[in-house]
Amino acid sequence: MNILSLTAQDCNCEDSFAKTVETYESNYSLFMYKVTDENRNLYRAHTDIMRTKASQTETVQDCRAVLGQWLDFFRDGHTRIGISAKSRINSEKIAISEELFKSEYKGKKYEQNPLLGIWQNGGYSVAVIPNPKGSDKKRDFVGVTLESSSEDWDKNDVKFELTTNFGSSYDANFMMRDHSPEPTKAQLLSKRKLSFEGLRVWTKIWPEADVEALDSEVIRKFGEFHYTELDGIPYLRFPDFYSVGEAHVDSIMKVNHEKLIAADFIIVDVRDNGGGNDDTYYPILPYILSGPVQVPNSGLWMSNDNIRQFLDNSDLKGKSVEDYSEEERQMYDYVMSLKGTAFFQEQDYANTYEPDTLYAGPKKVILLAGDAGSSGETFVYRANQSDKVVVYGQNTAGVVDGFNGLSKDIGCFKLTYPSSFRARDVDKNPIDPYGIAPDVYVDEKVDVLTYAIEHMKQLIKDSD
């Protein structure tokens, strides 16, 4: 087993901390709302404490933990700190093959624990094994990479670590793209579903006996977009808004159009949806909206770094000011005049959106929205303006007031921060960090899908 080590890259944590603070204070769109006259002294004290810790920190890993703790002050899921490619980590490796794992499975009585087996997420498959004998790491289980579609991951790389917290709940370290551990929580949702907080759900693909024992399509396909029917009730699952495109969703709606418009109610499930592209969900809006909805106009924080990145993504990229046409020079001068301001291209607070067609059916919509974030919350915000929609479960994630993440490499670390504002009044009417509350709260320990169906049937019966 190879123990985690660092390259010889010279990273001064105190210097990195200073650059991190300067970057977020200058470029983070919500900084002015997160740090106000009321809490500025609290922020300064927190920063001073973490600066002292940074001055006493030597390794890249420990420094990242200090920077992350400083960043926690903002409670923003769209901010993050990663280790730069220039400061690569030699990840831990555990030698194992799929053939060896399967051959030893019964002999080691792994079948007694549903966590042990082969799990898949996207282009990754891992074998979850007990912490190897001789390991000096305090953990109970390890996810070891068997296959990966990413060039950043090889066979035998440790992808995540799990330590039993209580029952089927775990404290976890999930290795990010740079192989740095991201502390999080994990939950074994079923024999085939392993959820990491803030990340996508993993599905158990071996042993097959476990797969066959679970015949619910909702459970089997929880981590992927799909349409199914539950006792005749149309059910649409969106684990995110990027793994399928608008055209694919539109085709599913067209194929099932008659069933959708004839239904008393349908179910749209965006639980744990981490966001993506708003366009993905537009094909379902004609079925769930009851009329026009208000869409707040967004804005941009025009710092020096942000302006430079905006220009680098425009038609002006690669041109010197001297080579601009008169029209390009006017645009450039206008953009530069906006330095240090919150820029909203539209003067009105919001615009009104209404699909070209609105269908009378279905009569009602169950929307399962617990912990949806980013574009997932944008969808909930818009859908919940419909008289048809009832939102069930827990609050959304509360990571939508700042978006359009930009990144800055400061040498040893890559910093990511929102550069945009969801609306003009995010300071007075924030969604972050508490999220959008459901219409009907259902404790996370309760089967929200079953309860929502029972509740909706009774609601329709009482209104008839």
Side-chain angles (χ1 to χ4, degrees), residues 340-352:
T341 67
F343 171 62
F344 289 82
Q345 189 170 3
E346 304 292 336
Q347 297 304 309
D348 294 333
Y349 172 79
N351 64 67
T352 300

Side-chain angles (χ1 to χ4, degrees), residues 35-144:
V35 179
T36 64
D37 290 341
E38 287 74 20
N39 72 345
R40 198 172 307 279
N41 288 338
L42 301 178
Y43 167 73
R44 287 173 176 167
H46 174 69
T47 301
D48 289 343
I49 289 173
M50 303 316 298
R51 182 182 292 110
T52 299
K53 286 189 176 183
S55 68
Q56 301 166 350
T57 300
E58 296 181 358
T59 69
V60 173
Q61 287 281 55
D62 289 343
C63 185
R64 180 181 180 273
V66 170
L67 300 182
Q69 188 176 351
W70 173 79
L71 199 61
D72 286 343
F73 185 89
F74 305 119
R75 300 181 67 182
D76 191 326
H78 275 151
T79 62
R80 60 183 177 274
I81 295 175
I83 297 175
S84 170
K86 300 175 184 177
S87 305
R88 294 177 188 169
I89 295 174
N90 298 320
S91 64
E92 178 186 4
K93 292 180 179 291
I94 297 176
I96 190 172
S97 69
E98 183 172 340
E99 294 73 20
L100 177 64
F101 177 74
K102 288 182 175 179
S103 68
E104 295 181 343
Y105 192 83
K106 287 187 177 180
K108 293 187 175 182
K109 298 182 178 179
Y110 284 172
E111 72 274 7
Q112 296 180 7
N113 188 332
L115 185 64
L116 302 176
I118 297 177
W119 297 77
Q120 186 177 62
N121 177 279
Y124 298 94
S125 66
V126 304
V128 176
I129 63 174
N131 190 30
K133 292 181 180 180
S135 171
D136 59 358
K137 295 201 170 186
K138 295 181 179 180
R139 62 195 177 190
D140 295 325
F141 306 98
V142 188
V144 183

Side-chain angles (χ1 to χ4, degrees), residues 264-265 363-364 387 390 455-464:
D264 282 341
F265 64 92
K363 297 176 184 177
K364 301 289 285 185
D387 294 336
V390 180
H455 185 274
M456 181 59 75
K457 287 180 177 179
Q458 188 64 46
L459 183 66
I460 292 175
K461 180 180 178 180
D462 291 346
S463 63
D464 286 343

Side-chain angles (χ1 to χ4, degrees), residues 196-238:
F196 290 88
E197 189 174 288
L199 301 166
R200 293 188 66 183
V201 175
W202 288 66
T203 301
K204 192 174 187 180
I205 60 173
W206 189 89
E208 294 180 358
D210 286 345
V211 175
E212 294 170 356
L214 294 163
D215 56 2
S216 168
E217 189 168 8
V218 172
I219 294 175
R220 289 202 311 271
K221 295 185 177 181
F222 191 78
E224 60 187 81
F225 168 77
H226 69 281
Y227 169 91
T228 190
E229 293 176 22
L230 308 177
D231 293 328
I233 305 166
Y235 169 94
L236 280 157
R237 168 65 181 157
F238 289 91

Side-chain angles (χ1 to χ4, degrees), residues 59 162 165 195 200 215 252 256-257 273 284 286 342 346 365 380 419 448 459 464:
T59 69
L162 300 169
N165 188 351
S195 171
R200 293 188 66 183
D215 56 2
I252 297 298
N256 297 285
H257 174 75
N273 183 309
I284 73 172
E346 304 292 336
V365 178
V380 174
S419 60
V448 65
L459 183 66
D464 286 343

Side-chain angles (χ1 to χ4, degrees), residues 143-161:
V144 183
T145 303
L146 297 177
E147 292 185 7
S148 170
S149 59
S150 170
E151 62 183 14
D152 298 310
W153 290 88
D154 298 320
K155 290 183 179 180
N156 300 329
D157 284 339
V158 170
K159 185 61 180 173
F160 53 78
E161 306 170 317

Side-chain angles (χ1 to χ4, degrees), residues 78 241 270 272-276 369-378 396-400:
H78 275 151
F241 286 133
V270 295
D272 300 320
N273 183 309
D371 211 31
S374 194
S375 294
E377 288 179 290
T378 303
T396 60
V399 289
V400 72

Side-chain angles (χ1 to χ4, degrees), residues 345-414:
Q345 189 170 3
E346 304 292 336
Q347 297 304 309
D348 294 333
Y349 172 79
N351 64 67
T352 300
Y353 170 77
E354 182 174 11
D356 295 335
T357 302
L358 287 173
Y359 300 113
K363 297 176 184 177
K364 301 289 285 185
V365 178
I366 289 175
L367 178 54
L368 307 180
D371 211 31
S374 194
S375 294
E377 288 179 290
T378 303
F379 171 70
V380 174
Y381 178 87
R382 295 173 181 179
N384 206 23
Q385 295 179 51
S386 170
D387 294 336
K388 292 183 178 184
V389 172
V390 180
V391 182
Y392 293 84
Q394 302 86 44
N395 286 28
T396 60
V399 289
V400 72
D401 285 341
F403 66 100
N404 191 18
L406 298 181
S407 296
K408 182 177 181 180
D409 196 317
I410 60 170
C412 296
F413 301 96
K414 184 178 181 180

